[in-house]
Amino acid sequence: MTIRTNTPNLLDNPPAPVQAKLAAAWTSIMFLYIYVDYFHLYKPGAIDEIRGGVIFEFDISPTLLTIFLAIVAIPALMVMLSMTLPVQANRATNLVVALLYIPLSVFNAVGESWAWASFYGLSIGIEVLLLAFILRSAWKWPRTPAVPAAPATTDLRQ
């Protein structure tokens, strides 16, 4: 007689909740924003332009910096919202915001020279892949089957 014992698989990896996947993706986007903006400062002439009061041909102003803050604040808020919103609102919000951020990410390369194509291509490519992951995760959000209602009057008739 052979006795089989079930030994636990130490590498068992249960699926992560969709909310956690979305929050992780938005967090990754935030890290990319920070590092791309930081590394951009190493570009020759970037700091001189900032000292001259110009960013990408726009005069530095409270309005411009408020716009930049809003562009960065939305993904930062999406980290928290992805974990706290109810499912329907969560799914819709992630779909809408991710769709809006794809063209915004591509816009970062406008006006750049081909010499910087690898830098911007890699950063934008990763951002777009993360946004595509968010779109796919939100779109394919698992649905729980509706529980069929049992006839309430069946027991009363008997």
Side-chain angles (χ1 to χ4, degrees):
M1 178 169 171
T2 305
I3 299 175
R4 289 189 171 197
T5 58
N6 290 338
T7 56
N9 184 353
L10 298 178
L11 295 177
D12 188 28
N13 190 17
V18 176
Q19 295 95 327
K21 291 178 184 180
L22 293 170
W26 285 113
T27 302
S28 295
I29 288 173
M30 290 306 304
F31 277 114
L32 274 172
Y33 280 176
I34 292 167
Y35 280 106
V36 168
D37 286 348
Y38 176 75
F39 291 143
H40 172 78
L41 296 175
Y42 288 100
K43 187 176 171 185
I47 293 176
D48 294 333
E49 287 181 3
I50 293 169
R51 284 185 182 147
V54 176
I55 297 175
F56 182 66
E57 300 185 21
F58 296 111
D59 291 334
I60 298 173
S61 66
T63 303
L64 181 68
L65 294 182
T66 303
I67 291 168
F68 287 172
L69 178 62
I71 289 171
V72 173
I74 291 170
L77 288 171
M78 288 305 297
V79 175
M80 188 266 309
L81 292 175
S82 294
M83 292 298 291
T84 59
L85 283 177
V87 174
Q88 293 291 0
N90 200 338
R91 182 175 185 262
T93 304
N94 273 282
L95 288 171
V96 169
V97 174
L99 278 172
L100 292 174
Y101 267 74
I102 289 174
L104 184 67
S105 292
V106 174
F107 177 75
N108 285 327
V110 172
E112 292 299 331
S113 68
W114 283 105
W116 292 92
S118 60
F119 175 75
Y120 288 104
L122 181 60
S123 65
I124 292 168
I126 294 170
E127 284 176 20
V128 169
L129 285 174
L130 286 166
L131 290 165
F133 173 81
I134 291 167
L135 287 170
R136 183 179 178 274
S137 297
W139 186 259
K140 292 188 171 262
W141 199 302
R143 300 195 186 324
T144 56
V147 177
T153 59
T154 305
D155 293 334
L156 295 176
R157 289 184 197 155
Q158 296 174 352

